[in-house]
Amino acid sequence: MILLYHKRIRVSVLRRTLALLLTLCAAFALLPARAAKATGAYSWVKVKLTANNATSLSISTSGTYFIKENGMEFSGGTLTVRAYGNSLTVSHSQYGELYTGASCSILRANVERTAGFLSFNGRKYLGHFHLRATSGGYIQVVNEVPMAHYLYGVVGYEMSELTFGIEALRAQAIAAKCYVINQMGSGEYHIGDTSADQVYRGYNASYNNVIAAVDSTLDQVLVANGSIIRSYFAASNGGETNLPSYAWPNQGRSDVGFGISIDPADLANTYSKKEVVRIPVNTPGSLSAPLHRLVLEKASAALGMSMSGIEAITYVSTEGPAYAGVTRNLTTCTMSAVVTDGMGTQYQTTFTFRLSELYARGAVSDGTLRIYWGEQVGDQYNIYHLRYGHGVGLSQRGAQQRANEGQNYQQILAFYYPQASLSATGDIQPPSNPVNTLAGQAPVPGALPVPAATPAPVAGAPAVIAYGMINYPDTNYRTGPGTDHQSYGKLQTGEALLVYGESGNWYHVGVNGVLAYVYKQYVDITPTSGVAPVATAVPGVVPVMTPVPVTNPAPAVPAALGIGVLKTSSVNFRTAPSTSARSLGKFDKGDVVQVFGQEGSWLYVSIDNTYGYVSASYVQVQSVAQTAAPAVQPVETIQPDAPAARQGMLTTSNVNLRQEATTASASLKKLKKNTAVTVMAEQGDWYYVEVNGQYGYVYRSYVRITGTAAAPANGAAPAAGTGVTTGKVNLRTGPGASYNKVTTLKKNASLTILGEANGWYNVAAGGKTGYVSGKYVKVTAALPAPPAAVPPSPTAGTAPAEENAAPVVTAVTGETTRQVNFRDGSSTSAKKLALLPKGAPLTLYKLENDWFEADYKGTRGYISAEYVKVRG
């Protein structure tokens, strides 16, 4: 800070008084709205969900669903969706492949909100999913959901269940509803799930206030001139409401329903974002270094000579309304100052500069705020940098404050939409259940029909005991049962096989005129109709036997591999390793189980002489018997390589380390700029990292990869556990048998256990890091329980930045990947500053809501992160 020394100079100081006028309607009259569409036209909303250009998705299900295209019904379990070019395949964890085609609709049989949900990207969604393979080979996901259920997923995330009063939530519910109604058209979807439209995060059954707010106002809309208005809203308005035509000039947006008014409630809310530049006037004080430099530069320019010191600021005024009728969106500042040259001679001068220069020079730092205005407060002049959002319509912080002060939702809406009235609409009807018109015609889930044209039997082959069909593209068929045997070629999804027997993890098959072997995982089997399998005398081949359903099979004398203790209560004990399997009962926290093996992310255990499966995430393994597991069988490598562990460094401060790969997850801690992290795995736009012995997820845009992670030395790494291999086993690049092999570990190899994912341990061994199946690891020091979740601080606004991180002032460079619009705000509705060509060089300052704040040839603006390549 740089001190100003006061000189007694009599200069009049502008003092401005603002009259605050607030006219609120006690309540809106509920008048019938003119129906713009047929009755029920607004009952369902189609939302395009963010899928991050995925080619493979995992969707868990709760409740009963069916595939519209073929009538296939299923309950519970997990769906795996994969895109192959312009086609996609939907498979079920229990029933196998359900459908293949260009698009697929997964419909919930009962659309009541308590009847089930689909879990996707860490969130729960009501209603239906419509999936399509795009021309780029990605999967598009559209959630079709009843209007009320859609609003549950908006209101609870645009506002907060915990910190916003019920009247504010009701006002938000009506505003969000009117906005989406105006988005409805005839396309594949009506709206997206990001702040480019309005935030939608699915269903949370614990949000009781949100559900009550939506349900109690479902039939109400805002109407002006006989039509439902497009009711814009934003986090805060900076103390004055705005008009659509001002926020989005040259776009033809209507101002009907809106007005300009001073909003003291927004200013009074301590959560409203703001920056204040305090300038002492005719009194001793100090200026920040950036402001001191700015004042000297402007004074020198006005005097035509170089000034080196500031003695006093004698007058400050903010002026120049950006638009007609506004008083708190100002553009210029006039200032008088006494300055000195290098010889100490004093000069008094007056100059004017643009308020936007305060941000350009670093006197303010929050690039998300949009307006400036000022006032005299005692002996200092305050310049405010405010308005988080466009300021049109409802201010969420203003609504929060008004509800806290006792206003109802009618009064809140009357202030923010002064030319509109609340009306009833008959266009939102209770949702009805879909009809499965193909019920009874669908194949039995999991049963593969006998191919219409079966392959010709191979000469000299044993008897055919089953039919098979390939369920994965580019599957090798080999000369022997192992990846070390030569491949005859590749088989594609849907190709038929004749099955003669099995050898370990491989089927012995006939295909394309030869006897061959195919890895079991990539074959769906149907026994030959009415024919019992017959054992054959082919050396080394065990025939496939017709399976006989057995409820809760238990080994006669199983060999326990270890002892475990339940970490939580009400844990289901199931007949099979799937959430759709029948529950045999519930475990309580502290119950002791014997562990016999692991299948995927499930443990096969016993309690009270009953055998079944429990999710491994609920069990703390405390001791392990000295029992070796069988050696690992080699498998096919189909999926692309997963990245090995890498070293990285954070490029900004205040970055959240989160429990899960979503901004809705709890933050474990805040990380500073230049903190070193070890990147263990990738999940969408997130890195799974280790930092100082703690594990979690970090948004990948805040991490710069600096090299390959070093292996732990002498066991000194911040490991969460230790173990040894129980047999010869592959160390892989990711948590699955389809990931590439890093190396092969010998039996009894020492492991440093870094984490666990889907039944696989992330380990360090012999100077390398990777993943090993939990089936072949004896844990000698168990993983500790995960740290307690820290509830995230609720925030309002249209999807704040992932971290609310401090802006990255040190430049990160990048370039455009295609021709793209450069805008003055982080939205496709913001004003276009320029059309940038492919390869345009950028200086990147901040990533927020999937938009970069950037500089292009001296102009500051925003560009969609989708079209930016970061260089470093």
Side-chain angles (χ1 to χ4, degrees), residues 183-203:
Q183 294 289 107
M184 289 186 172
S186 58
E188 289 182 279
Y189 55 89
H190 303 140
I191 197 167
D193 66 352
T194 71
S195 60
D197 289 305
Q198 53 191 13
V199 175
Y200 173 64
R201 293 291 183 267
Y203 177 59

Side-chain angles (χ1 to χ4, degrees), residues 502-664:
E502 62 179 323
S503 178
N505 289 326
W506 298 75
Y507 283 129
H508 187 210
V509 303
V511 62
N512 295 336
V514 298
L515 287 172
Y517 291 84
V518 176
Y519 190 59
K520 285 182 179 179
Q521 182 178 341
Y522 306 127
V523 181
D524 291 328
I525 292 294
T526 297
T528 53
S529 179
V531 179
V534 179
T536 64
V538 179
V541 177
V542 180
V544 177
M545 303 302 294
T546 304
V548 178
V550 177
T551 304
N552 191 29
V557 185
L561 299 180
I563 299 296
V565 177
L566 269 293
K567 298 186 291 185
T568 187
S569 294
S570 299
V571 177
N572 279 306
F573 184 35
R574 299 187 181 275
T575 59
S578 168
T579 54
S580 61
R582 181 169 61 90
S583 176
L584 298 169
K586 300 276 191 179
F587 281 152
D588 290 323
K589 184 176 181 180
D591 283 351
V592 177
V593 297
Q594 284 188 302
V595 180
F596 299 98
Q598 183 164 359
E599 186 168 342
S601 59
W602 295 77
L603 295 178
Y604 184 57
V605 304
S606 76
I607 185 172
D608 297 332
N609 294 318
T610 301
Y611 298 86
Y613 292 86
V614 176
S615 173
S617 61
Y618 300 126
V619 181
Q620 180 73 48
V621 178
Q622 292 193 336
S623 64
V624 180
Q626 301 294 325
T627 303
V632 174
Q633 295 288 337
V635 300
E636 292 282 16
T637 298
I638 298 294
Q639 297 183 2
D641 292 357
R646 291 167 289 171
Q647 198 66 38
M649 182 175 291
L650 296 185
T651 59
T652 188
S653 291
N654 296 324
V655 175
N656 283 307
L657 178 69
R658 296 190 181 274
Q659 274 192 319
E660 299 176 6
T662 168
T663 55

Side-chain angles (χ1 to χ4, degrees), residues 743-762:
T743 187
T744 300
L745 303 178
K746 296 180 180 180
K747 182 179 179 180
N748 294 324
S750 296
L751 306 174
T752 299
I753 301 176
L754 305 174
E756 190 271 341
N758 300 324
W760 289 68
Y761 286 117
N762 179 213

Side-chain angles (χ1 to χ4, degrees), residues 33-69:
R34 186 180 72 186
K37 297 188 178 184
T39 299
Y42 307 136
S43 299
W44 290 80
V45 184
K46 297 178 181 177
V47 193
K48 181 184 178 184
L49 303 183
T50 301
N52 299 316
N53 289 340
T55 58
S56 177
L57 301 175
S58 179
I59 304 170
S60 15
T61 68
S62 171
T64 301
Y65 292 81
F66 66 89
I67 305 286
K68 178 182 178 181
E69 286 76 6

Side-chain angles (χ1 to χ4, degrees), residues 8-33:
R8 294 183 177 275
I9 302 173
R10 300 176 60 84
V11 178
S12 64
V13 178
L14 175 65
R15 299 181 181 274
R16 181 168 49 192
T17 60
L18 299 175
L20 301 179
L21 303 175
L22 179 61
T23 304
L24 294 174
C25 299
F28 281 132
L30 286 178
L31 305 174

